[in-house]
Amino acid sequence: MPELPEVEVVRRGLERWVRGRVVARAEVLHPRAIRRHVPGAEEFAAQLKGRTIGSAERRGKYLWLPLDGTDALLAHLGMSGQLLVVEPDTAQEKHLRVRISFTDGGPDLRFVDQRTFGHVLVTPLAEAGGRQVPEPITHIAADPFEEHFDEGLFARRLRARRTEIKRALLDQSLISGVGNIYADEALWRARLHGA
């Protein structure tokens, strides 16, 4: 399961390859990949066509590509999802779910997901935690690498919890981006039992 550091690596790669490019076409090859985009595949494709992608952004385990400053293409990789940048004539991957091509004829952006636990959707941006984020993730707390992350506030909220420390670290409304692996490693390093 990708956690914050792995998703950050993907974000940096996307930033390099998709920023400033205009979407020519989006094709949904598996409906489960856009299951949270309720209007469906045709509307998903229509929402992307002709839109310019801004910077690649991340909060916790979520990635998004702002579209002309009002909406975003939001992605969660789930357990096996990948956002790949590949030449348009590259053979289709076995588990290709969504393909996005660009007006410049350069590399495509492909969402590949073997287990189909990940998803993508187009959604409006909203203010949350001092920045614009996609509406479906406004309830998610800032992650430790965000400019607006407040260590003092996090510590106070953590102390106020009446639950196991590991459970609190996994609560994405308290701190985002931490999953089982990093919670276990942090607790091991701090010499604390998760309970």
Side-chain angles (χ1 to χ4, degrees):
M1 171 71 90
E3 294 183 34
L4 186 151
E6 293 84 9
V7 177
E8 175 61 15
V9 169
V10 174
R11 186 204 67 77
R12 289 178 186 181
L14 290 175
E15 176 81 24
R16 178 177 175 212
W17 290 101
V18 300
R19 183 182 190 127
R21 297 179 72 198
V22 178
V23 176
R25 179 174 168 230
E27 181 182 8
V28 177
L29 299 155
H30 195 294
R32 187 164 163 79
I34 62 156
R35 65 188 173 279
R36 296 206 170 128
H37 189 89
V38 178
E42 287 183 25
E43 201 269 349
F44 175 84
Q47 282 285 318
L48 288 172
K49 186 174 182 176
R51 305 292 292 275
T52 301
I53 294 178
S55 59
E57 303 287 336
R58 180 194 51 73
R59 172 168 274 181
K61 301 175 193 180
Y62 283 89
L63 287 164
W64 69 91
L65 303 172
L67 302 167
D68 303 326
T70 58
D71 297 320
L73 175 62
L74 176 64
H76 191 285
L77 302 177
M79 291 184 77
S80 61
Q82 299 174 294
L83 285 166
L84 305 176
V85 178
V86 297
E87 291 300 324
D89 58 354
T90 302
Q92 181 172 305
E93 296 82 1
K94 182 177 181 181
H95 302 288
L96 179 60
R97 306 304 184 201
V98 176
R99 176 179 27 229
I100 298 170
S101 58
F102 297 92
T103 58
D104 60 15
D108 288 346
L109 176 61
R110 297 181 182 183
F111 180 61
V112 177
D113 191 2
Q114 178 180 359
R115 300 180 79 178
T116 62
F117 292 150
H119 63 274
V120 295
L121 70 144
V122 177
T123 182
L125 291 167
E127 177 71 27
R131 66 188 285 210
Q132 292 285 307
V133 300
E135 280 184 358
I137 66 167
T138 55
H139 68 285
I140 295 175
D143 70 52
F145 298 105
E146 287 188 47
E147 179 182 338
H148 295 96
F149 182 75
D150 184 334
E151 290 179 27
L153 176 62
F154 167 68
R156 288 189 301 278
R157 292 180 70 203
L158 182 61
R159 282 189 197 102
R161 296 291 167 109
R162 297 293 173 239
T163 187
E164 297 175 350
I165 184 73
K166 182 175 177 183
R167 186 177 302 228
L169 291 174
L170 295 175
D171 181 347
Q172 301 298 295
S173 68
L174 182 62
I175 184 171
S176 66
V178 180
N180 272 317
I181 294 170
Y182 290 103
D184 286 346
E185 292 295 326
L187 292 169
W188 176 264
R189 188 169 186 178
R191 299 179 183 201
L192 292 173
H193 190 282

